[in-house]
Amino acid sequence: MDSTLLVELSRAQFALTALYHWLFVPLTLGLSFIIAIMESLYVKTGDETWKKITKFWMGLFAINFAIGLATGIILEFEFGTNWSNYSWIVGDIFGAPLAIEGIMAFFMESTFFAVMFFGWDKVSKKVHLLSTWLVAIGSNLSALWILVANGWMQHPVGMEFNLNTARFEMKNFFDVLFNPNAISKFLHTVSSGYVMGALFVVGISAWYLLKKRDILFAKRSIIVAASFGLLASVFLTLTGDESAHQVALTQPTKLAAMEGLYDGKSRAGIVAIGQLNTDKKIGDGQKEFIWSIEIPYALSFLGFRNINAFVPGIDDLVLGNPTLSIEPAQSKIDKGKVAIASLKTYKEAMRENDNTKATIAFQSFRENQSFLGYGYLNDPAKIIPPVGITFYSFHIMVGLGSWFLALFFFVLYFSMVGKIETKPLLLKLAFLSIPLGYVAGEAGWIVAEVGRQPWAIQSMLPVGIATSSIDPISIMITLGLFATIFTGLLIAEIKIMLKQVSIGPEGEAHV
Amino acid sequence: MNMIKRIVLFYSDGFKQMKVGKTLWLIIAIKFFLFFILLKLFFFHDVLQTNFSNDTDRANFVIKNLTNP
């Protein structure tokens, strides 16, 4: 058992729990708003069919919510056990957002959740509708605080490292909250949830139409969900563009991996589809792709809003590019090692009460602190994330997102002209697209998290230093336990959902 | 008092009328037992909270890890 195994097991466990957690969250985010829209139509029109539609989807929402409830708490357990160095270092930054998230989730979701499910005949229509909207808004605001924390890891701002406490301390809450990386990540993530919710409703409704049952229910559900899904898909595209722009500005190695770009260039194109050359190594001059189809100028434009912009490749970022003033990774590693040595000297000087030595070490640390994380790397090539998984995940996500946009458009169009029932192929594709929504969402998170390796905190703390010195066997045991528990939960969700779907809206399938 | 009684009745009626909800609450109870009793107590102790009694010692331990990679 070596430390590499410990780090890899800790990462695998975190990845497993995060990926399972994300199977439940997006449907909550998206379906909550679709239900609120459906209930608004009920309150506005007084049509009991809308009430029945709302109650049916609310039942499925409740199943997903209940099964997914607290799956995210496991990630917090892992912080304290597997990632204790990281947990200590970021405690001051994460404390506020996560505390707000906890309070908000408890008060908004829990309180209004009860009114939403128990209050149909006990409160007025408007109070009930308000509760439904507040559950939707509360769920989405909970996501905000988690994604603010994640955005900070991707692009740490509004903080300063305290050499005495070994913690990043928040200097400006609003810099952390309005971190451009966090905002674009939040908007892109929740809009992917909206698309997932819409795919779910459209797909299940399509199944009813294929089975020629509950026709009015299915057609009305499709119109609401496809409209919502189409708007959400457009929003998803725009937020994805902004998210990629932020990556270009703050995480150039991730952008290079997303595009498999080794040799940086001006007027760089985006690879629409392609097969990576797996023999390609840094600086070897080999071609990057076996084959590819490229959209000219698009990467420069989307990354930097300028078709002439230079997009640095992996070779530039590792080896440096003096012409364009791109610093070699080795130079950053050297500065990082100075930062680490200065921190050590500072602590020794404080113990010896040598103020002069402490002041010099403190200044030296501050001058090099932006490179602190690089000091833990022994090889410049280590700054590059796994290219294959990042590239393919990114392209799967984008490809599926494009498909969903087209799907919603055609489903909505044929619904509006009254021909949706005569399009069995489209209905089958809609049904089959439900799991693809989950694939796209998970692929997005793989891009975000694998693409920022080796960092737990961008440029500040690599994953190898963030972990605890614990027995890898205990991680193996809990990894197995998690895989079992979460798979069990997933099977339970699917079985209960399928049963409720087969009962259908006529069976009053609410909770 | 009347308000409290109404709130209690609101929840108790709601729980009584649940159908799928009863299964869901059972799943939630099992899940909470597994997460907060089995996993948290036996596998997921907070390393720094458990091994050190104060923040100064925790900070020194982390700095030691940071400066002796």
Side-chain angles (χ1 to χ4, degrees), chain A residues 1 13 39 95 104 109 138 149 166 185 191 237 265 270 290 294 315 333 340 343 388 412 436 442 456 480 501 508:
Chain A
M1 301 290 180
Q13 187 177 73
E39 189 175 342
M104 189 170 277
E109 291 178 46
K185 179 170 279 295
S191 51
T237 307
K265 59 187 89 161
I270 274 185
I290 306 292
E294 194 175 291
D315 290 354
I333 290 173
I340 295 167
L343 177 60
L412 184 60
L436 296 182
E442 301 288 12
V501 170
E508 288 288 328

Side-chain angles (χ1 to χ4, degrees), chain A residues 13 62-63 66-71 73-74 77-78 80-82 84-85 88-89 110-111 114-115 118-119 122-123 161 163-166 340 343-344 347 376 461 465 468 470 477-478 481-482 485-486 489 492 496 500 508-511, chain B residues 6 9-25 27-28 30-32 34-49 51 54-69:
Chain A
Q13 187 177 73
I63 294 164
I67 306 273
L69 186 70
T71 49
I73 201 81
I74 298 295
F77 291 174
E78 290 171 22
T81 304
N82 301 359
S84 60
N85 289 335
W88 176 263
I89 289 167
S110 306
T111 306
V115 178
F118 297 161
K122 295 191 173 69
V123 297
F161 187 78
L163 282 74
N164 295 306
T165 61
I340 295 167
L343 177 60
K344 192 172 186 176
K347 290 303 288 183
Y376 300 105
L461 188 74
I465 300 297
S468 314
I470 55 173
I477 293 169
T478 48
L481 278 172
F482 284 147
I485 293 170
F486 279 114
L489 288 173
I496 299 171
Q500 294 308 115
E508 288 288 328
H510 57 82
V511 289
Chain B
R6 283 176 63 192
L9 280 174
F10 177 84
Y11 278 92
S12 64
D13 286 352
F15 281 112
K16 278 178 199 164
Q17 289 168 15
M18 282 193 306
K19 295 170 185 170
V20 186
K22 285 174 183 158
T23 308
L24 297 178
W25 274 109
I27 291 171
I28 289 170
I30 293 169
K31 188 167 52 173
F32 276 26
L34 292 173
F35 286 0
F36 293 104
I37 306 295
L38 180 70
L39 290 171
K40 183 62 182 165
L41 287 185
F42 293 101
F43 292 101
F44 284 95
H45 61 280
D46 188 309
V47 172
L48 295 178
Q49 288 294 331
N51 295 348
N54 60 65
D55 280 354
T56 305
D57 289 347
R58 290 180 193 115
N60 287 336
F61 177 74
V62 173
I63 287 179
K64 191 178 155 197
N65 290 338
L66 290 177
T67 53
N68 298 286

Side-chain angles (χ1 to χ4, degrees), chain A residues 3 7 21 41 81 85 95 117 126 129 140 169 186 211 233 254 258 289 352 361 403 464 469 491 493:
Chain A
S3 60
V7 174
H21 180 53
L41 290 166
T81 304
N85 289 335
F117 285 98
K126 286 185 178 172
L129 178 62
N140 281 264
E169 293 177 346
F186 167 68
K211 293 286 175 189
S233 290
K254 184 193 277 187
M258 283 160 63
F289 292 91
E352 296 161 1
W403 158 243
S469 298
I491 291 169
E493 164 143 353

Side-chain angles (χ1 to χ4, degrees), chain A residues 263-475:
Chain A
D263 188 14
K265 59 187 89 161
S266 301
R267 301 182 181 186
I270 274 185
V271 175
I273 187 169
Q275 183 185 355
L276 287 167
N277 175 7
T278 52
D279 294 330
K280 172 71 183 160
K281 300 280 187 298
I282 295 167
D284 69 358
Q286 283 196 62
K287 61 179 184 177
E288 295 149 339
F289 292 91
I290 306 292
W291 61 270
S292 63
I293 299 170
E294 194 175 291
I295 304 168
Y297 310 118
L299 187 58
S300 288
F301 180 72
L302 295 174
F304 298 96
R305 310 305 192 221
N306 177 355
I307 60 164
N308 295 313
F310 180 85
V311 182
I314 290 169
D315 290 354
D316 304 287
L317 295 163
V318 173
L319 306 173
N321 186 329
T323 314
L324 293 155
S325 304
I326 296 173
E327 189 172 5
Q330 186 59 54
S331 167
K332 294 180 180 178
I333 290 173
D334 294 341
K335 289 177 183 173
K337 290 193 185 301
V338 172
I340 295 167
S342 302
L343 177 60
K344 192 172 186 176
T345 306
Y346 174 82
K347 290 303 288 183
E348 287 167 359
M350 293 301 284
R351 272 196 299 274
E352 296 161 1
N353 287 321
D354 186 340
N355 287 338
T356 308
K357 188 176 167 186
T359 303
I360 293 168
F362 182 86
Q363 286 170 345
S364 173
F365 179 83
R366 286 284 179 247
E367 285 164 13
N368 295 283
Q369 63 182 357
S370 307
F371 304 95
L372 176 65
Y374 289 92
Y376 300 105
L377 306 178
N378 295 318
D379 176 2
K382 295 279 185 194
I383 69 163
I384 302 302
V387 176
I389 188 168
T390 309
F391 172 84
Y392 288 116
S393 298
F394 176 64
H395 285 77
I396 287 169
M397 176 189 73
V398 173
L400 288 174
S402 307
W403 158 243
F404 301 148
L405 183 68
L407 178 73
F408 289 132
F409 175 81
F410 286 114
V411 167
L412 184 60
Y413 172 76
F414 287 115
S415 296
M416 297 301 281
V417 297
K419 290 184 177 175
I420 189 69
E421 289 168 82
T422 64
K423 303 291 174 190
L425 177 62
L426 186 61
L427 292 172
K428 282 177 189 166
L429 288 172
F431 178 66
L432 293 173
S433 292
I434 296 175
L436 296 182
Y438 289 100
V439 171
E442 301 288 12
W445 274 111
I446 289 170
V447 175
E449 300 305 301
V450 174
R452 73 178 160 106
Q453 295 305 311
W455 308 114
I457 305 169
Q458 180 72 33
S459 304
M460 291 290 175
L461 188 74
V463 288
I465 300 297
T467 47
S468 314
S469 298
I470 55 173
D471 186 356
I473 291 174
S474 71
I475 306 179

